Amino acid sequence: VLLIRTHDRPGLIHTVTGALLAEKANILANHEFVDPIEGMFFMRTEFSGPNQKQSLLSTLGNLLPGSHMELRTLERPKIVIFATKEGHCLG
């Protein structure tokens, strides 16, 4: 998961998705939002592909605008949920 916070400008989605394409990543989900009052752009992109996080972050850091930019990746947590109709503890 890629999280971005930066100043808004035209073409940001194209810039980010182009950088992901260059890293041979596949976008699984993409959500973006612009705060019109502060002029800030927020984007959350879930992607899969080769694990080149440092290269991707470096590339995006050079392409995205703003001195107050936040750029980071998160690992998706692996969770297993067990459920039972029985009235006992799962051992």
Side-chain angles (χ1 to χ4, degrees), residues 4-7 40-42 64-71:
I4 298 172
R5 177 185 176 270
T6 189
H7 293 285
M40 295 302 291
F41 173 82
F42 301 88
L64 296 175
S67 57
H68 294 89
M69 176 184 56
E70 279 184 48
L71 184 62

Side-chain angles (χ1 to χ4, degrees), residues 6 17 25 32 43 55 59 61-62 65 67 72 75-76 88 90:
T6 189
T17 56
E32 61 277 332
M43 187 170 182
S55 174
T59 299
N62 293 328
S67 57
R72 61 190 171 118
E75 293 296 324
R76 189 171 214 192
H88 61 81
L90 184 62

